[in-house]
Amino acid sequence: MVMGDLVDEVEVAVVGGGPGGYSAAFRCAELGLETVVIDADRRLGGACLFEGCIPSKALLHVAAVLSEVERAREWGVDFGEPRISLDPLRKWKQERVVGKLARGLAAVAKGKGVTVIGGRAVFEDSTTLRVEGESLQKVRFKHAIVATGSAPAALPGIALASDRVMDSTAALALPDIPERLLVIGGGYIGLELGTVYAALGSRVTLVEMTEGLLPGVDRDLVQPLHRRVEKLFAAVHLGTKVTALREAGGRIEATLEGQGAEAFDRVLVAVGRKARSAGLGLETTGVRLTERGAFIQVDERCRTHDPHLYAVGDVTGEPMLAHRAMRQGKVAADVLAGRPSAFDNVAIPAVVFTDPEIAWCGLDEAQAKRRGMEVKIAKFQWTASGRAATIGRADGLTKLVADAASGRVVGVGIVGPGAGELIAEATLAIETAALVEDVAATIHAHPTLSESLMEAAESLLG
Ligand code: FAD
Ligand code: NAD
C-alpha cells in the first residue's frame, strides 16, 4: 500500500451503478450491510437510465403520439402538420425524464446509506479494488458484486470513425433529424430507434443481415411489425450486409451487398452489445469468463468461481435486459447475506417498444417443440377484440402456448399496442404455474385488450 492512498473497508463493494448494481446495493443496505457503489460516471442509473431504456422510451412515446395524430385524420380529427423543435424535445428527455429519475435514485441511495464513489474500478485481487477517479482510492471488501454492464458492438471490418456514424448513445442525443438515415441491424435498437427517427421525419433504410427482423422471435409476432415498418421506413433490406462505409462530401456512402452504394446523412450501427469484462483486473481473481462473448460465468445464485465475487446484469450474458439485471442484483444481495435465494425465474418477459409493440415470455411454439413437449397453441386475432376496434388497432395478436399433458401455460407472445403492459399477466401466470383454465376463468375487465389472453385460453378448452 502506497502511503497517502485512501483506503475504504466495506462489507460489499458494487462495481457499476446500473440497474443490476443499484438494485444489488439497495438490497444489501436493506439487509444491514455496509455498501459502496463504484461507478465510472459517479451516478446511479447506468446504460438503462442514461443511454438506454428510459431515453429511448421517452422518444418512442413522442413517436407514438405522432403516429396517433396521423391516425386521427381517419377519425375526422386533423391537427395539421406537426412541427418538431429539437431543443425542447432534448430538454424534456434529458431534464424532465432522465434527470428527474437520476435525482430520485441518488435520493434513494442517500436514504439507504449507500455511498457512491466516482471512478473506474480495477480489481487488484479478490478482496481489493483500485478506484481510478479524481484521486486514487482503494476499497477493501468482503464481497464484491460486478455489474459493469455492456457496450455497443462495433461493425466488424468496416468500422468508420465519423460523427455521422452513430451508436445508440449518439443517436439518443438527437444531434439532428437526418434526411436519410441508414440503420444497420434489425434487432431491438435498430427497430426502436429507426421508429423514432422515421416518426420525426427521417427517411430510414434498415439493413438486417439475417432473413428476418428480430431473429429468434416468433414469426407470428414479427409479421405485423414487419408490415408496419415496411410502410414507415423508406426501405427494409433483409439478408443483406453492409460491406463498406466511406465518408464523402459530408455524407456517408454505404455499400449494401447486392444493392450497390447509397449515400446517407447519418448511420446508426445497432448490431448487438458486448460484455464490459475487459480491463477490470478480473485475471487477478478467480472469476472465469465464457469462451464466447467473454461474459462472467455465474451460477443461479449469481456466484462467480471466486467465493468473494458475484456478478449480475449484462456482463453475465443474455438476455441483456434491465429487469433481469435488477432481479439478479436482488438475488446476489440476498445470497451474500446468507439468505436462501436463487435466480430461478421461469419466465423473463421481453418487450420491443415499437409500433405495434411485441412482447413475449416463457417458451414460444418452436422452443416448446424442440423440448419435445406436446403443445396446444391458441392464436387470438385482435380483429375479434372490442377494445382493439375502439382504438382502431385490430392488427394485434395474442398467442398462447400450453403444455398439452399438464394443461399449464408455458409461453405467451403478444403483438399490438400495449403488449409490453399486457405481458405482465402472462409472466405471472407462467411463474405461478397457472393452468389454461385458470386464465380462462379469471374475470378480465371489458372492454380491455387483456381479454385477449382470456379469449386465447378459452379457445383451448373443450
Ligand atoms: P449497465 O446499465 O450497463 O451499467 C453498468 C455501469 O457500470 C455503468 O454505469 C458503467 O459506467 C459502470 N462501469 C462499467 N465498468 C466500470 C468500471 N470498471 N468501474 C466503475 N464503473 C464501471 N433493457 C430493458 O429491459 N428494457 C428496455 O427498454 C431497454 N432499452 C434499451 C435501449 C437501448 C438503446 C440500450 C442500449 C439498452 C436497452 N436496454 C433495455 C438494455 C439495458 O439498458 C441493460 O440491460 C441494462 O442497463 C443492464 O444493466 P447493468 O446493471 O447490467 O449494466
Ligand atoms: P440485437 O441483438 O437485438 O440486434 C442486432 C441485430 O443486428 C440482429 O438482428 C443481427 O442479426 C443484426 N446484425 C448483426 N450484425 C450485422 C451486420 N453486420 N449487418 C446487419 N445486421 C447485423 O442488438 P441491438 O439491437 O444492438 O440491442 C442490443 C441489446 O440491448 C438487445 O439484445 C437487448 O438485450 C438490449 N435492448 C433491449 C431493449 C428492450 O428491452 N426494449 C431495447 C434496446 C436494446
Side-chain angles (χ1 to χ4, degrees):
M1 176 79 31
V2 180
M3 287 285 285
D5 274 358
L6 287 166
V7 184
D8 268 337
E9 306 241 350
V10 293
E11 280 167 302
V12 184
V14 179
V15 184
Y22 71 69
S23 302
F26 292 170
R27 182 79 185 129
C28 286
E30 283 159 16
L31 295 171
L33 300 168
E34 195 198 345
T35 307
V36 297
V37 178
I38 304 148
D39 187 86
D41 298 317
R42 202 186 178 181
R43 59 189 187 186
L44 300 183
C48 176
L49 178 53
F50 298 102
E51 53 200 47
C53 326
I54 300 297
S56 63
K57 264 78 262 179
L59 295 179
L60 278 158
H61 177 66
V62 174
V65 170
L66 287 167
S67 78
E68 209 57 5
V69 163
E70 181 90 28
R71 279 196 187 97
R73 292 206 179 110
E74 271 178 48
W75 314 325
V77 182
D78 194 338
F79 295 92
E81 277 309 305
R83 282 191 317 240
I84 294 156
S85 307
L86 283 183
D87 276 338
L89 179 54
R90 288 189 200 108
K91 199 168 169 194
W92 169 70
K93 165 179 70 75
Q94 218 45 43
E95 292 174 19
R96 303 279 296 280
V97 181
V98 175
K100 189 163 182 258
L101 291 169
R103 287 191 292 279
L105 279 175
V108 174
K110 200 170 171 204
K112 291 185 189 291
V114 171
T115 306
V116 182
I117 300 175
R120 214 174 69 84
V122 181
F123 286 94
E124 294 200 326
D125 58 43
S126 295
T127 53
T128 316
L129 278 161
R130 184 175 73 247
V131 182
E132 298 164 351
E134 277 168 21
S135 58
L136 195 65
Q137 189 170 350
K138 300 222 179 195
V139 177
R140 289 228 184 85
F141 54 83
K142 280 197 193 128
H143 296 289
I145 301 175
V146 186
T148 48
S150 61
L155 263 182
I158 58 160
L160 172 70
S162 160
D163 286 351
R164 295 187 172 278
V165 179
M166 310 182 288
D167 61 15
S168 52
T169 306
L172 284 167
L174 283 183
D176 54 21
I177 303 174
E179 202 181 308
R180 295 204 60 196
L181 173 71
L182 173 66
V183 174
I184 307 179
Y188 281 85
I189 293 177
L191 287 165
E192 289 188 353
L193 294 187
T195 298
V196 167
Y197 274 95
L200 293 177
S202 294
R203 290 184 44 149
V204 175
T205 295
L206 184 141
V207 175
E208 162 60 42
M209 157 179 102
T210 69
E211 292 303 325
L213 299 173
L214 291 169
V217 179
D218 187 336
R219 295 298 95 186
D220 283 342
L221 306 181
V222 176
Q223 215 176 45
L225 174 65
H226 191 160
R227 279 197 295 268
R228 171 81 181 130
V229 292
E230 287 220 297
K231 281 195 199 136
L232 189 65
F233 294 178
V236 177
H237 301 292
L238 300 178
T240 306
K241 271 190 181 166
V242 176
T243 51
L245 289 176
R246 179 173 89 84
E247 190 154 18
R251 300 184 94 193
I252 303 289
E253 197 181 270
T255 309
L256 313 192
E257 204 177 42
Q259 318 269 331
E262 275 186 58
F264 296 90
D265 300 290
R266 287 189 183 271
V267 177
L268 165 63
V269 179
V271 294
R273 290 178 68 84
K274 56 178 185 10
R276 245 194 302 219
S277 57
L280 265 177
L282 290 174
E283 60 289 352
T284 67
T285 72
V287 166
R288 287 192 210 155
L289 303 180
T290 60
E291 259 172 48
R292 267 194 74 194
F295 295 110
I296 296 181
Q297 291 183 24
V298 287
D299 65 10
E300 74 291 352
R301 290 174 208 278
C302 302
R303 294 178 299 197
T304 69
H305 285 84
D306 187 314
H308 293 281
L309 267 55
Y310 293 70
V312 302
D314 284 9
V315 76
T316 65
E318 300 278 359
M320 293 197 226
L321 298 173
H323 41 276
R324 168 180 172 265
M326 292 185 212
R327 170 85 190 124
Q328 282 185 315
K330 290 173 195 163
V331 168
D334 277 342
V335 171
L336 72 77
R339 296 196 164 209
S341 184
F343 188 84
D344 53 4
N345 292 66
V346 184
I348 304 173
V351 184
V352 189
F353 292 84
T354 39
D355 176 20
E357 289 181 357
I358 296 186
W360 66 94
C361 64
L363 302 175
D364 68 17
E365 186 176 351
Q367 287 166 334
K369 285 181 178 162
R370 273 201 299 277
R371 290 192 185 188
M373 204 179 264
E374 199 191 317
V375 291
K376 282 184 168 179
I377 306 290
K379 293 185 195 180
F380 179 80
Q381 303 284 351
W382 289 15
T383 37
S385 156
R387 185 62 182 143
T390 64
I391 58 169
R393 294 304 300 264
D395 53 339
L397 169 79
T398 299
K399 186 170 173 180
L400 189 148
V401 184
D403 174 26
S406 64
R408 278 188 187 174
V409 181
V410 294
V412 172
I414 306 175
V415 54
E421 303 292 337
L422 295 172
I423 204 67
E425 180 189 354
T427 313
L428 183 66
I430 296 170
E431 205 60 52
T432 54
L435 300 177
V436 171
E437 56 189 274
D438 295 324
V439 177
T442 300
I443 299 174
H444 290 69
H446 179 74
T448 63
L449 297 171
S450 71
E451 288 171 292
S452 69
L453 192 62
M454 175 186 73
E455 296 274 5
E458 268 178 11
S459 74
L460 288 183
L461 299 176

